[in-house]
Amino acid sequence: MRLPHRTVQVVCESAVEATGATLGWLGVLDGGAVAIVAAAGGEPSAPAALVGRNVPRDVGSVGYVLQSGQPMAVQPAGKPGGDHGVTQLLGREPASLVCVPCASAGEPVGVLQVLDKVAGGGFSFDDVEILTLLGTVAGAALADAGAVAEDVPSPELLGRALAGLADVDPDHYARVAQIVSSLLHQV
């Protein structure tokens, strides 16, 4: 995976600052996990300690956000179950958190999460709205940086699409076929 664009780090820093969180991180889907690619806030060494670590993609707030595509704001501290993914990552249970999807082409490709308000208490609806907007920016930045895997059509699907194009628009097919043929001869 290529490293994301600097924009992703700025989004993470902005999320922490705008919401008054003590810590935040941004992660992208990477197989069965979410790989943290940017972090901000906390002790000076905290962001560097988080970048490169993984969180399970199907547990806690991360799992909910990726499966539903919806943001989540909770105060899990002291409640049964808590948020196992975040607790495992931090080695402690957060007092409050907000997690939002980072989407590309309408599909979640990662998450943006902030933890523990500096002033204590929970995050507000305004915090969720700000993070949702920043998550949209992060999704676009991740896609632009090449951190999001693009779906590559199978040879069979591509062949059927070309055959359909030949039937519907022979002139357009001829141009596409010349390009594909030229690319194949360069391999």
Side-chain angles (χ1 to χ4, degrees), residues 32-95:
V34 173
I36 298 176
V37 296
E43 297 293 320
S45 63
L50 289 175
V51 172
R53 295 192 53 201
N54 293 326
V55 177
R57 73 181 284 168
D58 57 356
V59 175
S61 55
V62 170
Y64 172 81
V65 168
L66 289 173
Q67 290 175 11
S68 70
Q70 300 297 313
M72 176 181 193
V74 293
Q75 293 178 308
K79 295 188 173 128
D83 190 320
H84 296 298
V86 174
T87 301
Q88 182 182 14
L89 178 68
L90 300 177
R92 66 172 178 81
E93 201 169 305

Side-chain angles (χ1 to χ4, degrees), residues 139-165:
L142 290 169
D144 284 349
V148 177
E150 297 292 328
D151 287 337
V152 176
S154 68
E156 295 80 19
L157 181 61
L158 185 57
R160 285 193 303 269
L162 286 170
L165 182 59

Side-chain angles (χ1 to χ4, degrees), residues 6 8-16 22-27 35-53 89-90 111-115:
R6 169 85 176 118
V8 175
Q9 180 63 38
V10 171
V11 164
C12 192
E13 292 166 1
S14 298
V16 169
T22 59
L23 184 64
W25 57 269
L26 193 143
I36 298 176
V37 296
E43 297 293 320
S45 63
L50 289 175
V51 172
R53 295 192 53 201
L89 178 68
L90 300 177
V111 295
L112 175 60
Q113 187 162 55
V114 294
L115 308 163

Side-chain angles (χ1 to χ4, degrees), residues 75-179:
Q75 293 178 308
K79 295 188 173 128
D83 190 320
H84 296 298
V86 174
T87 301
Q88 182 182 14
L89 178 68
L90 300 177
R92 66 172 178 81
E93 201 169 305
S96 59
L97 64 84
V98 176
C99 187
V100 300
C102 300
S104 177
E107 291 295 318
V109 296
V111 295
L112 175 60
Q113 187 162 55
V114 294
L115 308 163
D116 302 330
K117 280 274 216 188
V118 172
F123 290 95
S124 69
F125 182 73
D126 289 342
D127 294 330
V128 174
E129 288 293 308
I130 289 168
L131 283 181
T132 300
L133 289 171
L134 290 171
T136 302
V137 172
L142 290 169
D144 284 349
V148 177
E150 297 292 328
D151 287 337
V152 176
S154 68
E156 295 80 19
L157 181 61
L158 185 57
R160 285 193 303 269
L162 286 170
L165 182 59
D167 290 341
V168 174
D169 188 348
D171 293 334
H172 190 85
Y173 165 79
R175 289 189 300 274
V176 171
Q178 286 175 335
I179 294 168

